[in-house]
Amino acid sequence: MRRIDGVRPKTADAADAADAAEATEATEATKAPLYDRQRFRARISMPVSQLSVYFFLQVAVIITASQLVGRLAQRLGQPQVVGEMIAGVLLGPSLFGLLFPEAQRALFPKETLGMLYVGAQLGVGLYMFLVGTEFRSDHFKSRFKSAASVSAAGILVPFVLAFALAPFLKDIPGLFAERVRALEASLFLGAAIAITAFPMLARIIHERGLAGTSLGTLALTAGAVDDAVAWCILAIVLASFGGNWGGAYAAIGGGVAFALFMTLVGTRLLKRLASHARPDAPLPSSLLAFVLVLFALSAFAMDAIGIHAVFGGFLLGACLPRGALTQKLREQLQPFVVIFLLPMFFTYSGLNTRLSVLFEPGILLAAITILAASFCGKGVACWAAARMTGENNRDAMAIGALMNARGLMELIIINIGLQAGVILPGLFSILVLMAILSTLLATPLFNWVMRERRGTAAPTASIG
């Protein structure tokens, strides 16, 4: 690797200051409007031809680390996606940068982070598009009343805890940006605690053959409602951040208008695509190209109005006609998205994660408080609500375990908050830890509950 001009050995304090400055610079660049990002590009001194040299090496290292740690996680009975999340953290300053700081900065110089960010956003946008293609409205109709109380508990309790904790957390340096108001801090923290790893929840339900059961339908419905509410509240926080309520109203109104157009008009228009897909043949290249253009335009529309591209991708996927079209899209896109693109997102998250900040007394206290609130406010609350609706204790525990997993959805929401300047690296690192721990515990707890429920040993489930 060629030496980058200006990279010199630094003391630990100087390295921390430099990393903080780089994170702030990257955040300012990604949250700036499209027309204002020229000022960021002007700071990049690395030749464009050299960016590809770094990119290919970075991708090779990222995929290798993700596969190795992911396979190790599977051997330990955990889903591969948990290992990939951990691999992203290990490549950042929490381990690789701690043990070999110069090598880590040489592999991931700040001039290349914008390129990695674009790959990460493409990956997470396409992933949410694929999640949308698996979204089923019939879950809402079958057990909506029973799931309403579980969903309400999974939303209301986290937000009550968030409103109680946010004033205290706002006074701790390194968690929230100074210009974040108490209401915005409370709403963001509530959304971060209330979010559920809905794609993972859906996958374990289907893998265990529970999709048509009372337990599976209840968990899927409650998880879908919780995630929908959390994403809507996040959109409000992003639109209102900065005090420009005119822009906030425009963003919220634009988002609502886009959602209504897609669900009322777009759904009928997109039905015509179904006739061009056959279950016994790959998608025609022209149809695949057309769907990807629609994805790019939907992501652009939501990003341009000030919300986020992932909303556009998810809405498009949810509105596509079910059947051969969505099945073939998943078959052709999912391997590339999951193996090649998503690890970039995990690594970009890991590069912004500094677990060493947890050793600071104020941050450590905040971490313990947030972790306790996240587990009690989601898992325990959903378990209690399920019991109150008449579910037996084992089924209620299974629902609590599934609803408590945050997984990739948590990483998406906190990356959006970091890029928008709502939260700082301290809170970002705490929430990354919460996402990993909650997902790590979900699989063994759910497997244990299901073994007890059936009275016999069951094969290990995989979330993710």
Side-chain angles (χ1 to χ4, degrees), residues 2 34 64 67 93 97 114 175 182 203 210 229 306 308 365:
R2 282 171 286 183
L34 292 173
T64 301
Q67 290 295 309
L175 299 184
R203 184 163 178 176
L210 299 173
V229 173
H308 200 274
L365 178 60

Side-chain angles (χ1 to χ4, degrees), residues 248-269:
Y249 293 140
I252 295 170
V256 171
F258 182 79
L260 290 175
F261 172 80
M262 291 297 295
T263 53
L264 299 178
V265 180
T267 304
R268 290 198 293 268
L269 296 176

Side-chain angles (χ1 to χ4, degrees), residues 384-436:
R387 290 288 289 148
M388 291 175 64
T389 60
E391 300 293 329
N392 63 61
N393 189 53
R394 293 297 178 188
D395 283 2
M397 289 177 65
I399 291 169
L402 290 173
M403 296 289 286
N404 191 56
R406 278 29 176 247
L408 177 60
M409 302 300 286
E410 181 73 19
L411 294 185
I412 295 173
I413 203 172
I414 63 178
N415 268 278
I416 293 173
L418 183 67
Q419 293 151 19
V422 178
I423 63 174
L424 297 177
L427 182 56
F428 182 87
S429 300
I430 293 173
L431 295 177
V432 167
L433 181 63
M434 184 259 280
I436 293 175

